[in-house]
Amino acid sequence: MSTVGSAGEGGQQVLDVPPHYFPGACFVCKATPPAGGSLSRCANCRMIKYCSKEHQKMDWPVHKTICKKLRNDDGSSVLADGAGIIDSAAWLRHRASPDAGTAPDARPRAATAREGDALLPARVRGCTPSKDADRHERWCEQLRLALACDRYEALNGLADPPILPDVDETFQDLPEDIVSMLSSQILAEKESVPEGAYVDPVLIAFLTERLSFPLTVLYALLKAPGERPVGERESLTVHVVGAQMLVECLGIIKWEYLVHRLPRLRAIRLVFVGPELFRGCGDDMAGAVEDSGATRCADCSRRQRSVVHELRPVTYHEYCRGQHWTRPDAVVAFNSGIHEFAERDEDTWRESLPFLVRHERVPLILTAYTRTELRKDLEELEKAVPSLNVLLPAAKNPFGSTKPVRDMCREDDCDVFFLNQFVTVLEGDGTGDASPCR
């Protein structure tokens, strides 16, 4: 990927990305129509658009599973009766109803992730006058960036931005936010930077999506250092709870960015724990991945720093009661959606919640996509653990991702959300402290 100027087409891409639906863009490549032009629409469902016959043919093997269910016997769209809905909540209820996207003679079923992406998001009318023009003006820039990011991955596969290689020789306080931090580091790598040069916003979006995870941990530990200031630590163990390989472990070398910010650190152990850890990856990857040097940069290898990634596909309370448990210096749950599990028949969080804050002076870091989600997660945690100390009140996270994702629910009246957008740091009162934790 390009670092300065417009987004480039370089960089090794190895994973395909599920397509996202934009009403005004080709479903395959996310191309928008030229001035005065238009995209072709699927003649049957009249919902999905393409820039060419080639892309329509390419998408048909998957699209056909939903296409025929979007058309009534008289040829009209199943969703047409929602055409007059303006209120986003009403639109979501309409599209999420059992009959939406289901032909009259078909048995209702849950939509797949691909189908839901097309069926559920509130409509985006584009940059034209409309009854919702004021709202669209608020979110236009973020929606354009979301489309640009999706277009890049539609053409190149999963973005794999290079992790910045600079290593701090002395401990530095964090700057104001993640964008200013990464932009200054990117520009500093250039031998010469022309006046007016800028950092490609698509690159910044992808970089912040990756580095938000280690930087949020560093930010939280600076605000709530636990037993010892993080800048003075020579070793660090972090439990990442509710982890998934394709989220917290994706581009796992990103965690070395945390090591690069802590000059005194000699060893770090990252324990990724969660029953859905290998969802979509197969189950043959379990176990501790001892540091072999394969995931370390040249500088970390030269300094003989130890980097251990440990993968445990179990619930957190099972891990804490098992033989592989190690005492953490911090526990973190990224975008966990604890409150959503409380509504399920099988709540995999309930029994684990007390273990998150089991140790005195071991901070628990919680992040969420929205302020409302974080509030609901805290409510569930407080039910399980009434005596919590708040070290960092829930607030906007300056080191959250800046890559926008369209929010089908428009929670908190927002058209987009971001990974790790809100953060809080807590700790228990030590009454449940035990070592070992079983």
Side-chain angles (χ1 to χ4, degrees):
M1 296 183 70
S2 171
T3 57
V4 178
S6 62
E9 299 299 328
Q12 183 179 6
Q13 315 297 332
V14 294
L15 294 176
D16 291 332
V17 180
H20 294 146
Y21 171 70
F22 289 84
C26 172
F27 192 69
V28 173
C29 69
K30 303 299 177 286
T32 52
S38 62
L39 299 174
S40 62
R41 191 191 304 264
C42 174
N44 187 70
C45 70
R46 296 188 295 178
M47 181 176 177
I48 305 300
K49 298 178 182 178
Y50 302 97
C51 67
S52 65
K53 290 291 186 182
E54 179 185 3
H55 281 182
Q56 185 171 8
K57 183 177 180 180
M58 183 187 304
D59 189 49
W60 177 246
V62 179
H63 176 59
K64 66 182 180 181
T65 62
I66 187 176
C67 180
K68 296 177 181 179
K69 296 183 182 298
L70 289 174
R71 185 176 180 179
N72 293 316
D73 292 337
D74 62 2
S76 62
S77 170
V78 170
L79 299 175
D81 61 331
I85 298 176
I86 297 299
D87 176 71
S88 60
W91 176 254
L92 186 65
R93 287 193 298 271
H94 167 71
R95 286 204 162 188
S97 66
D99 295 330
T102 305
D105 60 345
R107 180 180 179 182
R109 61 174 175 82
T112 65
R114 178 190 174 101
E115 294 167 353
D117 190 75
L119 286 169
L120 292 175
R123 294 164 294 177
V124 179
R125 294 178 173 81
C127 299
T128 55
S130 70
K131 295 180 180 179
D132 219 8
D134 290 341
R135 179 188 189 89
H136 182 78
E137 184 177 358
R138 286 167 48 205
W139 298 106
C140 179
E141 183 177 351
Q142 294 293 348
L143 292 169
R144 286 170 62 89
L145 180 56
L147 176 58
C149 291
D150 281 357
R151 179 183 294 136
Y152 178 90
E153 292 192 318
L155 296 173
N156 299 281
L158 184 73
D160 187 18
I163 303 303
L164 301 171
D166 62 309
V167 179
D168 293 341
E169 297 294 337
T170 59
F171 180 74
Q172 307 290 329
D173 286 334
L174 287 173
E176 182 179 356
D177 57 49
I178 193 169
V179 172
S180 59
M181 180 175 188
L182 298 182
S183 296
S184 62
Q185 289 181 354
I186 290 172
L187 294 174
E189 288 185 351
K190 299 296 175 182
E191 293 183 3
S192 63
V193 179
E195 184 178 354
Y198 65 96
V199 179
D200 175 17
V202 174
L203 170 65
I204 285 290
F206 284 128
L207 270 176
T208 62
E209 185 179 47
R210 290 288 178 89
L211 295 180
S212 171
F213 294 94
L215 283 175
T216 294
V217 171
L218 179 56
Y219 170 71
L221 289 178
L222 286 171
K223 294 293 184 180
E227 294 181 335
R228 187 178 181 186
V230 66
E232 299 178 5
R233 289 186 175 273
E234 295 183 356
S235 65
L236 186 66
T237 297
V238 180
H239 291 178
V240 183
V241 186
Q244 295 183 29
M245 285 296 295
L246 297 181
V247 183
E248 290 86 352
C249 301
L250 184 64
I252 203 165
I253 197 173
K254 67 189 176 189
W255 287 99
E256 290 186 30
Y257 192 78
L258 176 58
V259 180
H260 294 172
R261 307 281 75 79
L262 301 173
R264 293 191 181 185
L265 199 67
R266 310 305 306 166
I268 185 169
R269 175 177 288 270
L270 297 149
V271 185
F272 300 96
V273 186
E276 297 184 345
L277 183 61
F278 299 119
R279 186 172 68 177
C281 301
D283 297 326
D284 57 348
M285 302 172 65
V289 180
E290 297 297 335
D291 180 42
S292 63
T295 61
R296 287 184 297 168
C297 69
D299 187 87
C300 288
S301 296
R302 178 177 60 82
R303 298 177 190 231
Q304 296 185 328
R305 286 173 149 176
S306 170
V307 180
V308 176
H309 305 107
E310 187 176 335
L311 310 176
R312 301 294 173 188
V314 295
T315 60
Y316 191 56
H317 61 273
E318 290 172 330
Y319 166 72
C320 289
R321 291 169 176 161
Q323 61 178 336
H324 300 293
W325 174 85
T326 53
R327 180 182 172 89
D329 298 303
V331 179
V332 58
F334 294 109
N335 312 298
S336 59
I338 293 171
H339 70 281
E340 295 176 354
F341 285 81
E343 301 170 359
R344 299 183 183 180
D345 294 335
E346 183 180 354
D347 183 355
T348 55
W349 277 102
R350 185 183 299 112
E351 193 172 348
S352 292
L353 294 180
F355 289 84
L356 297 176
V357 290
R358 193 175 184 91
H359 302 291
E360 187 178 15
R361 305 209 67 187
V362 174
L364 167 65
I365 306 162
L366 290 181
T367 73
Y369 301 121
T370 68
R371 189 184 299 275
T372 295
E373 285 200 350
L374 188 55
R375 174 181 57 79
K376 291 179 178 179
D377 286 347
L378 285 172
E379 289 173 354
E380 293 300 320
L381 181 59
E382 288 168 353
K383 291 176 185 177
V385 188
S387 54
L388 288 173
N389 300 321
V390 179
L391 305 180
L392 177 67
K396 189 80 174 287
N397 179 12
F399 293 90
S401 168
T402 65
K403 179 177 177 290
V405 181
R406 287 186 308 137
D407 191 348
M408 67 182 184
C409 299
R410 285 184 170 177
E411 193 165 48
D412 293 347
D413 198 33
C414 298
D415 281 16
V416 297
F417 66 84
F418 306 85
L419 293 176
N420 305 318
Q421 185 175 197
F422 289 87
V423 64
T424 187
V425 184
L426 315 158
E427 70 174 2
D429 60 7
T431 57
D433 197 17
S435 184
C437 184
R438 39 185 175 265

